[in-house]
Amino acid sequence: DELEWAKLRGFVFVSIAFLASIFANIKTLQYANVETFIVFRSSTPIVIGVADWLFLNRELPNLRSALSICALAGGSILYVLTDAAFVVRGYVWVCVWFVIFCFDQLYIKHAVDSVKVRSNWGRVFFTNLWASAFLAVSTLATEPQLLLDIDWSMPTVLALAVSCVVGVAMSYFAFLCRAAVSATSFTVIGNVCKI
């Protein structure tokens, strides 16, 4: 895909939501334990399933799925009520993450369905182009010395190159999956693959 403003514009909020989700995830783990994050992550299909129906014209979950969602909600409520490591700041960040993540899942599905690209590589390109630009500006503005202090040895460059290749591959296959299934299904797949 060529650089076209309409396509670039269609993916700017995809990148912003993705980066905001990562930032809120890191802040959550700074103040809350991993178990709290897992419970909230596991409960995202509750909101996304309904929002999928409201905003993306998908079907509501069937009875069996609705009962599973109710069980998720019940388990999440019980966890929160009995969390021995309850820290208000941690729960604030996990709630911020929850809202951003739900928006992220729904908006990316909307972008995948509505922004016409010639191939899946277009989605990968536009999303990663925006994210790279945002992160480059952020790094230069907040931690310029960091780039100068890195030892750009062969192992460092090789590790960076491998992580870039793996990241692009993950992005490519995630966009393929998002194009094939609903936002709710993609969220459930994402939750299950973490087990």
Side-chain angles (χ1 to χ4, degrees), residues 41-136:
R41 169 76 192 225
S42 298
S43 65
T44 55
I46 298 167
V47 172
I48 294 172
V50 174
D52 229 354
W53 170 71
L54 277 173
F55 303 116
L56 299 176
N57 298 318
R58 299 287 182 168
E59 291 183 23
L60 278 172
N62 62 27
L63 180 61
R64 188 172 76 174
S65 296
L67 290 173
S68 297
I69 288 172
C70 287
L72 271 173
S76 298
I77 290 167
L78 285 174
Y79 176 82
V80 170
L81 293 174
T82 61
D83 184 8
F86 183 90
V87 176
V88 173
R89 185 177 285 176
Y91 272 82
V92 167
W93 275 110
V94 79
C95 288
V96 168
W97 171 86
F98 191 92
V99 170
I100 293 168
F101 182 79
C102 290
F103 171 80
D104 173 72
Q105 297 298 293
L106 294 161
Y107 187 79
I108 292 175
K109 179 61 179 171
H110 166 71
V112 165
D113 289 347
S114 62
V115 179
K116 300 301 175 211
V117 291
R118 287 192 323 204
S119 76
N120 194 51
W121 285 112
R123 296 179 186 115
V124 174
F125 174 61
F126 295 128
T127 300
N128 286 298
L129 180 66
W130 277 117
S132 296
F134 292 142
L135 290 174

Side-chain angles (χ1 to χ4, degrees), residues 1 8 12 16 22 32 42 69 80 83 88 109 120 145 153 163 173 180 187:
D1 282 275
L8 275 169
V12 67
I16 290 170
I22 292 172
S42 298
I69 288 172
V80 170
D83 184 8
V88 173
K109 179 61 179 171
N120 194 51
Q145 193 61 36
S153 64
S163 70
F173 290 110
T187 303

Side-chain angles (χ1 to χ4, degrees), residues 26-44:
I26 291 167
K27 295 304 281 184
T28 296
L29 293 174
Q30 182 179 352
Y31 297 109
N33 58 31
V34 174
E35 292 83 5
T36 301
F37 180 75
I38 290 170
V39 167
F40 275 81
R41 169 76 192 225
S42 298
S43 65
T44 55

